[in-house]
Amino acid sequence: MREHHGAGESHLPAQWPDAVVMARSTEEVAEAVRIAHRLCVPIIPYGAGSSLEGQIHAPFGGISLDLSQMDSIMAVNPEDMDCTVACGVTRQALNEHLRDTGLFFPVDLGAHASLGGMASTRASGTTTVRYGSMRDLVLGLTVVMPDGQIIKTGGRARKSAAGYDLTRLMIGSEGTLGVITELTLRLFGIPETAQSAMCSFASIEEATETVVEALQCGLCLNRIELADAVQMNAINRYSGTDLPEQPTLWIELTGSSVQVAHDMALLRDLAEGSLRFDVAETAEAASKLWRIRHTALYAARALRPGIKGISTDVCVPVSKLPACISAILEVIATTSIVAPLIGHVGDGNFHLVLLHDPARPDEVEEARHINSNLIRIAIEMGGTCTGEHGVGLGKKPYLEAEHGPALDVMRGIKRALDPANIMNPGKIFDL
Amino acid sequence: MREHHGAGESHLPAQWPDAVVMARSTEEVAEAVRIAHRLCVPIIPYGAGSSLEGQIHAPFGGISLDLSQMDSIMAVNPEDMDCTVACGVTRQALNEHLRDTGLFFPVDLGAHASLGGMASTRASGTTTVRYGSMRDLVLGLTVVMPDGQIIKTGGRARKSAAGYDLTRLMIGSEGTLGVITELTLRLFGIPETAQSAMCSFASIEEATETVVEALQCGLCLNRIELADAVQMNAINRYSGTDLPEQPTLWIELTGSSVQVAHDMALLRDLAEGSLRFDVAETAEAASKLWRIRHTALYAARALRPGIKGISTDVCVPVSKLPACISAILEVIATTSIVAPLIGHVGDGNFHLVLLHDPARPDEVEEARHINSNLIRIAIEMGGTCTGEHGVGLGKKPYLEAEHGPALDVMRGIKRALDPANIMNPGKIFDL
């Protein structure tokens, strides 16, 4: 139990908590936090254990507060297109529950994650280009503060100008300012139609140019994903497919059928220079097309069996993608690392899977060298070290470069709200 | 000068600053704040003076820091659909500047406001139903902190999971945590087509029901505005029109022409029970229709010439609008006040103009009675005391009821970041 709670899916070495506490209600969370506060023991909120950067690790020991049993869906309001859920509900469970309402919650990521964890790490995913990230889709929260006080932030109104935005302050704070126990979320109507296409280009530049134009035209993009030639090669090997080993876009348009048909025709025009533009004509074809996309990570890992790799996570202004990618490919070429690329190109966010053997110090150093150079390049281009995975322990060394003196403002807030530093200590930044 | 800077457009009695300082750059702002910090003098950021709740008043004297000369547009990046502007740029000036790019900045409010002020008060307006509010459209900020330190929050990436969301913390903090001096904003492509309609209903319930259905169907709504019968009567008197004196919706759809035509037909079906559904067939007709909407406030005030009135600003879940409105109309019926209603119904936000003579204590008391009851009702329904005007001095008495113990968390942040309490003291809450 302690081992499981101190590692999750991160590439970092496990750091076990001293104990695991299972909480079943906000009141139980508050009770646990009050005791920890009195005894000055670290509290590490634990949702589904899917975080990638060591957010659930216990570098100072303490209590892993497992919230996975807080899985009730308290309210669904179809008229207002919102719902209130406990933090341990997964996005899959919520969408399953919503199935007959015609509504859905759109944040769509690779992991089987809890909604509380997704808020804590400001998660996003393939549909962020259309619907935004957790930052945009949470209306209100219940939070247990570091002294055990229970507060409510936000509410059910679609907007408010009433004071500081504590909801957004808690989102992305990775459990360092309190424990999110309940969330009120925006929901959306399931669009009438979806149509998907796959499209290869001679270069990343040409693919990106098509994306920029599609965004400027306001096409009804639901997803727009990019893979590079290395990733396409990995997919062909893994799936036995014969896809062009060229930069490739997966695109999904959703909306009314007239709109989708109109926008798909426009997209085909925009992608005029593409090598190949395949529209999925049936639901099965679309589903096959997206299945290929979803195997990308496994296909990448299969290039070096038994190796997990680090997933980088920079995000830059979309127009900077080609320059950012070509700069990092030059760095990668000076190493022995194989690094397939896949990304949420509509947001400027991409992942390189840095395949390396953690037992080989030379490869570890090469992976670190690539990641730190990538982050430097992204920050120089006005981007960020992490688009969606969060900071945890893994990205801490890069926050000073990204935020400069703003990092001290973050520290000031942390000290004010958690003077004893019991809430997930050592994460995001050192005090 | 001091008089002008201590009143703005608020209904509250003026409170003059001791001095007005004009700043022309972030560095000059930092210099002014550093001096004020050393001397413990209040600093009150001043943009265009259009705030409604006393945000620019000087209850403790001090310096009104006029930022209106910081009006340069530093960068427009059409490929990334973003721009960086100084805080004193107005939204009108920005859109004028963008005219030839095919892009625009969508937050559309009644006032001639500066973008820095709009961020500070978390402004929204008629197009929030489509594009979101200032909360959603700011990518990054330059902020002078209360000790004179200059920080940058966010950046140009579309999303980031790198640490606390200081951008969102500053947005809506009304100058109490620092001075916003530069903003990086999202821009959008101007849609191909717009089509507008005006539509009257027998009841607010029926109008709201149509709105809920239009939102659930994901129609390409750009604006959806509601007026009640009292407001329509005021408009007829003011404009010499002969419009039905019934609850009325103004609707604008924007997008590709196929989509707009498709969605307008669907909207007409959804509004089947309406008394009248008039689509503007020409651009002039659409422009006339929206001109009528924009005269609403003047028409309301003309019901009692010489009287400005207080504009209430609650926001509730959309489905609660009919119950909220009917509850407050019962309260209004027990008073002598005339109160036309107009609102951004797609967000659940509406304004009552409480026409009363500030020189008559009985009327002042009646207006206060209506406003405080309205806020109580809205909060009981999961709503907020202010959807878009902010707190300033006017809404302070209601924050405890809305936020409970979360208000103390806000105070903790304020104390940590501005221990000398020089930044716009006395606004939002008392320490």
Side-chain angles (χ1 to χ4, degrees):
Chain A
M1 184 87 143
R2 285 169 52 216
E3 180 177 2
H4 175 73
H5 280 67
E9 296 177 18
S10 164
H11 59 96
L12 299 160
Q15 291 172 311
W16 296 12
D18 295 309
V20 176
V21 170
M22 315 291 285
R24 283 161 305 183
S25 67
T26 297
E27 199 34 69
E28 285 190 359
V29 170
E31 185 65 23
V33 172
R34 265 178 240 129
I35 293 167
H37 183 250
R38 200 164 63 234
L39 303 175
C40 252
V41 172
I43 286 267
I44 302 141
Y46 180 98
S50 58
S51 61
L52 293 175
E53 294 290 352
Q55 281 90 346
I56 58 162
H57 281 48
F60 305 103
I63 295 163
S64 176
L65 188 61
D66 187 318
L67 306 159
S68 59
Q69 292 180 22
M70 292 181 62
D71 60 356
S72 71
I73 294 168
M74 284 106 108
V76 175
N77 306 296
E79 287 204 306
D80 296 314
M81 295 197 283
D82 68 33
C83 68
T84 299
V85 302
C87 57
V89 173
T90 63
R91 62 187 186 82
Q92 291 93 336
L94 175 59
N95 281 326
E96 182 61 26
H97 182 89
L98 293 171
R99 212 167 27 141
D100 300 330
T101 63
L103 299 171
F104 77 116
F105 180 70
V107 178
D108 174 51
L109 29 91
H112 188 77
S114 70
L115 290 158
M118 288 165 64
S120 295
T121 54
R122 205 180 293 124
S124 50
T126 59
T127 60
T128 298
V129 67
R130 171 75 154 261
Y131 295 100
S133 73
M134 290 303 284
R135 186 195 83 188
D136 307 293
L137 302 182
V138 177
L139 293 170
L141 296 171
T142 301
V143 184
V144 174
M145 297 302 290
D147 59 359
Q149 169 99 271
I150 298 165
I151 68 165
K152 293 204 179 256
T153 73
R156 287 188 55 226
R158 278 304 161 109
K159 62 182 194 182
S160 170
Y164 301 168
D165 191 345
L166 299 182
T167 306
R168 248 50 58 184
L169 181 65
M170 291 297 161
I171 293 171
S173 67
E174 302 188 5
T176 63
L177 298 176
V179 185
I180 294 171
T181 60
E182 293 176 16
L183 308 92
T184 298
L185 301 170
R186 286 186 64 175
L187 302 174
F188 293 84
I190 296 173
E192 181 191 325
T193 318
Q195 193 166 39
S196 297
M198 217 169 145
C199 181
S200 355
F201 294 85
S203 67
I204 299 264
E205 282 80 356
E206 286 173 65
T208 303
E209 208 172 282
T210 302
V211 174
V212 166
E213 288 172 359
L215 291 168
Q216 285 177 333
C217 292
L219 299 196
C220 56
L221 296 169
N222 190 49
R223 297 183 163 93
I224 187 157
E225 301 277 301
L226 170 74
D228 75 346
V230 177
Q231 177 70 63
M232 293 311 293
N233 171 267
I235 287 172
N236 278 339
R237 289 188 196 202
Y238 182 77
S239 306
T241 44
D242 189 28
L243 298 163
E245 296 186 1
Q246 298 283 351
T248 299
L249 294 178
W250 285 260
I251 299 151
E252 184 179 47
L253 304 180
T254 59
S256 63
S257 47
V258 291
Q259 185 192 359
V260 167
H262 172 271
D263 286 8
M264 188 57 89
L266 194 53
L267 180 66
R268 197 190 278 273
D269 289 347
L270 296 178
E272 202 184 15
S274 64
L275 305 174
R276 198 165 143 177
F277 190 100
D278 299 323
V279 176
E281 298 296 348
T282 62
E284 293 88 71
S287 144
K288 186 175 161 205
L289 183 159
W290 285 102
R291 208 158 45 239
I292 293 170
R293 162 64 185 91
H294 290 304
T295 61
L297 179 62
Y298 308 100
R301 286 178 179 166
L303 290 175
R304 280 192 73 177
I307 298 286
K308 267 178 92 174
I310 294 178
S311 179
T312 71
D313 183 36
V314 298
C315 184
V316 295
V318 180
S319 73
K320 305 283 188 190
L321 271 177
C324 180
I325 292 171
S326 94
I328 197 61
L329 292 185
E330 280 178 33
V331 175
I332 292 171
T334 68
T335 71
S336 67
I337 303 280
V338 175
L341 179 151
I342 191 121
H344 314 307
V345 66
D347 311 315
N349 181 209
F350 68 90
H351 311 301
L352 288 165
V353 182
L354 303 178
L355 294 163
H356 70 286
D357 183 348
R360 286 191 48 182
D362 56 331
E363 293 195 4
V364 171
E365 174 50 29
E366 283 185 336
R368 197 207 53 75
H369 175 72
I370 294 168
N371 197 20
S372 63
N373 271 282
L374 175 60
I375 289 168
R376 179 184 51 72
I377 293 163
I379 292 172
E380 282 169 11
M381 292 178 168
T384 175
C385 66
T386 173
E388 55 184 15
H389 295 167
V391 181
L393 298 167
K395 293 286 197 322
K396 267 168 68 177
Y398 309 109
L399 282 212
E400 183 69 43
E402 180 164 339
H403 295 302
L407 194 57
D408 274 336
V409 176
M410 296 183 200
R411 288 192 179 101
I413 293 168
K414 167 73 173 172
R415 279 192 210 101
L417 300 187
D418 182 20
N421 193 21
I422 60 161
M423 289 307 313
N424 212 0
K427 306 299 166 67
I428 306 183
F429 43 70
D430 290 315
L431 283 175
Chain B
M1 185 86 143
R2 286 167 54 215
E3 180 177 1
H4 175 72
H5 280 67
E9 296 177 19
S10 164
H11 60 95
L12 299 160
Q15 291 173 310
W16 297 12
D18 296 309
V20 176
V21 170
M22 314 290 286
R24 283 161 304 185
S25 68
T26 297
E27 200 33 70
E28 284 191 359
V29 170
E31 185 65 22
V33 172
R34 266 179 239 128
I35 294 168
H37 182 250
R38 201 164 62 235
L39 303 174
C40 251
V41 172
I43 286 266
I44 302 142
Y46 180 98
S50 58
S51 62
L52 293 175
E53 294 290 353
Q55 281 90 347
I56 58 162
H57 281 48
F60 304 103
I63 295 163
S64 175
L65 188 61
D66 187 318
L67 306 160
S68 59
Q69 292 179 21
M70 292 181 63
D71 59 357
S72 72
I73 294 168
M74 284 107 108
V76 176
N77 306 296
E79 287 204 305
D80 296 314
M81 294 197 283
D82 67 35
C83 68
T84 298
V85 302
C87 58
V89 173
T90 62
R91 61 186 186 84
Q92 291 92 337
L94 175 58
N95 281 326
E96 181 61 25
H97 182 90
L98 293 171
R99 211 165 28 139
D100 300 329
T101 62
L103 299 171
F104 78 116
F105 180 70
V107 178
D108 174 52
L109 28 92
H112 188 77
S114 70
L115 290 158
M118 288 165 65
S120 295
T121 54
R122 204 180 293 126
S124 51
T126 60
T127 61
T128 298
V129 67
R130 171 74 153 261
Y131 295 100
S133 72
M134 291 302 285
R135 186 195 83 186
D136 307 294
L137 302 181
V138 177
L139 293 170
L141 296 171
T142 302
V143 183
V144 175
M145 297 301 291
D147 59 358
Q149 169 100 270
I150 298 166
I151 67 165
K152 292 201 179 258
T153 73
R156 287 189 55 226
R158 278 306 160 107
K159 62 182 194 182
S160 171
Y164 301 168
D165 191 344
L166 298 182
T167 305
R168 248 51 56 185
L169 181 64
M170 291 297 161
I171 293 171
S173 67
E174 302 188 5
T176 63
L177 298 177
V179 185
I180 294 171
T181 60
E182 293 177 16
L183 308 93
T184 298
L185 301 169
R186 286 187 64 175
L187 302 174
F188 293 84
I190 297 174
E192 181 192 325
T193 319
Q195 193 166 39
S196 297
M198 216 168 146
C199 183
S200 356
F201 293 85
S203 67
I204 299 264
E205 283 80 357
E206 286 173 64
T208 304
E209 208 171 282
T210 302
V211 174
V212 165
E213 288 172 358
L215 291 168
Q216 284 177 332
C217 292
L219 299 196
C220 55
L221 296 169
N222 191 48
R223 296 183 165 93
I224 187 157
E225 301 277 300
L226 170 73
D228 74 347
V230 177
Q231 177 69 64
M232 293 311 294
N233 171 266
I235 286 173
N236 278 338
R237 289 189 195 199
Y238 182 77
S239 306
T241 44
D242 188 29
L243 298 162
E245 296 186 1
Q246 298 283 350
T248 298
L249 294 178
W250 284 259
I251 299 151
E252 184 180 47
L253 303 180
T254 60
S256 63
S257 47
V258 290
Q259 186 192 358
V260 167
H262 171 271
D263 286 8
M264 188 58 89
L266 195 52
L267 180 65
R268 199 190 276 274
D269 288 348
L270 297 179
E272 202 185 13
S274 64
L275 305 174
R276 200 166 142 177
F277 189 101
D278 299 324
V279 176
E281 298 295 350
T282 63
E284 292 89 70
S287 144
K288 185 175 163 207
L289 182 159
W290 285 102
R291 210 158 43 240
I292 293 170
R293 162 64 186 90
H294 289 304
T295 60
L297 179 62
Y298 308 102
R301 285 177 179 165
L303 290 176
R304 280 192 72 176
I307 298 287
K308 268 177 93 173
I310 295 178
S311 179
T312 71
D313 183 37
V314 298
C315 184
V316 294
V318 180
S319 73
K320 305 284 188 190
L321 271 177
C324 180
I325 291 172
S326 93
I328 196 60
L329 292 184
E330 280 178 31
V331 175
I332 292 171
T334 68
T335 71
S336 66
I337 304 280
V338 176
L341 180 151
I342 191 120
H344 314 308
V345 65
D347 310 315
N349 181 209
F350 68 89
H351 311 301
L352 288 165
V353 182
L354 303 177
L355 293 164
H356 70 287
D357 182 349
R360 286 190 49 181
D362 56 330
E363 293 194 5
V364 171
E365 174 49 30
E366 283 185 335
R368 198 207 54 74
H369 175 71
I370 294 167
N371 197 20
S372 63
N373 271 284
L374 174 59
I375 290 168
R376 179 185 51 74
I377 293 163
I379 292 172
E380 282 169 10
M381 291 177 169
T384 175
C385 67
T386 173
E388 56 185 13
H389 296 167
V391 181
L393 297 167
K395 293 286 197 322
K396 269 168 68 177
Y398 308 109
L399 282 212
E400 183 69 42
E402 181 164 340
H403 294 303
L407 194 58
D408 274 336
V409 176
M410 296 184 199
R411 289 192 179 101
I413 293 168
K414 167 73 173 173
R415 279 192 211 100
L417 300 187
D418 181 21
N421 193 21
I422 62 161
M423 290 307 313
N424 212 0
K427 306 299 165 68
I428 306 182
F429 43 70
D430 291 314
L431 284 174

